[in-house]
Amino acid sequence: MEKEKEISQYYDKAKTVLIAEEEVKAAVKKAGEWIDGIYDGRPILLVSILKGAFVFLADLCRAVRVPCEIGFMCAKSYYSGTQSSGVVQITMDLSQDISGYHVVIVEDIIDTGRTLNDVVKLLKARKPLSLRVVTLLDKPSRRIVDFKADYSLFTIPDEFVVGYGLDCAEQYRGLPYIGVFKE
């Protein structure tokens, strides 16, 4: 009984659904079609920014029909709280040379824009054939750096969200929907 109470309290913090599972699935399918339309059979490298975008990447790579490889980077500005630290740290870099690739960065959320701005500068310097950014969520009201994704699945209000790969202190990533987190 105590365990059930703990589980209930856990989910209560993220039970306000902002974007339902079905909406996410439909939007990922459309994003895959958008990518297919741009690359028209040319192979791409999907680069996931860990950890938050791994669920989105898994679904997106199944939604595209163009040949694709995947790569991973870890860049973060959130550590254990709900506010950006303001300092972007690349904690894991790509292992491959991207100069022969059409690169699509797959991000979970663009908030202040700092993280993606730094990652894009770093990858552009490596001279990929092309570079685009696809983000699951865009929160333009929090933007500090002038940054815009090439494709955003959803624009959201200034709420701290979890689920579908997004976390709060490493929790809630497994929720199939995007929920508003209440402390």
Side-chain angles (χ1 to χ4, degrees):
M1 193 65 152
E2 187 64 33
K3 188 77 166 168
E4 288 176 13
K5 184 178 177 184
E6 285 178 32
I7 291 170
S8 174
Q9 288 173 343
Y10 174 82
Y11 285 103
D12 282 350
K13 290 185 177 183
K15 73 178 181 183
T16 303
V17 176
L18 184 64
I19 305 168
E21 180 178 6
E22 297 76 27
E23 291 176 275
V24 173
K25 286 179 181 178
V28 170
K29 184 177 186 261
K30 285 183 182 177
E33 292 167 355
W34 179 80
I35 289 170
D36 288 343
I38 288 173
Y39 294 102
D40 193 31
R42 293 175 291 162
I44 61 173
L45 174 65
L46 296 173
V47 176
S48 174
I49 307 299
L50 294 173
K51 297 180 187 172
F54 80 98
V55 174
F56 179 32
L57 172 78
D59 288 345
L60 187 61
C61 78
R62 289 188 296 256
V64 298
R65 297 291 167 242
V66 296
C68 69
E69 293 181 33
I70 61 170
F72 296 95
M73 292 182 76
C74 189
K76 63 183 184 176
S77 63
Y78 284 78
Y79 296 93
S80 61
T82 60
Q83 294 293 317
S84 173
S85 68
V87 177
V88 176
Q89 183 182 11
I90 306 290
T91 58
M92 184 178 89
D93 205 346
L94 285 172
S95 59
Q96 65 257 65
D97 174 6
I98 64 168
S99 62
Y101 288 94
H102 293 284
V103 175
V104 179
I105 298 172
V106 180
E107 179 62 305
D108 58 352
I109 187 167
I110 302 175
D111 190 32
T112 65
R114 287 184 187 124
T115 301
L116 257 296
N117 192 56
D118 286 4
V119 168
V120 166
K121 282 182 188 175
L122 176 71
L123 295 184
K124 276 186 177 178
R126 296 177 185 173
K127 309 267 189 258
L129 298 173
S130 67
L131 179 69
R132 289 190 170 81
V133 175
V134 174
T135 187
L136 175 65
L137 305 173
D138 188 11
K139 198 186 298 184
S141 64
R142 300 258 307 143
R143 200 77 83 243
I144 291 172
V145 175
D146 184 24
F147 187 87
K148 186 166 173 41
D150 296 288
Y151 191 93
S152 297
L153 279 68
F154 300 98
T155 299
I156 63 168
D158 187 8
E159 299 278 2
F160 192 85
V161 293
V162 294
Y164 197 70
L166 290 96
D167 75 302
C168 180
E170 296 299 324
Q171 300 295 309
Y172 306 98
R173 291 187 195 279
L175 296 175
Y177 57 86
I178 297 167
V180 177
F181 181 77
K182 297 295 181 196
E183 292 190 67

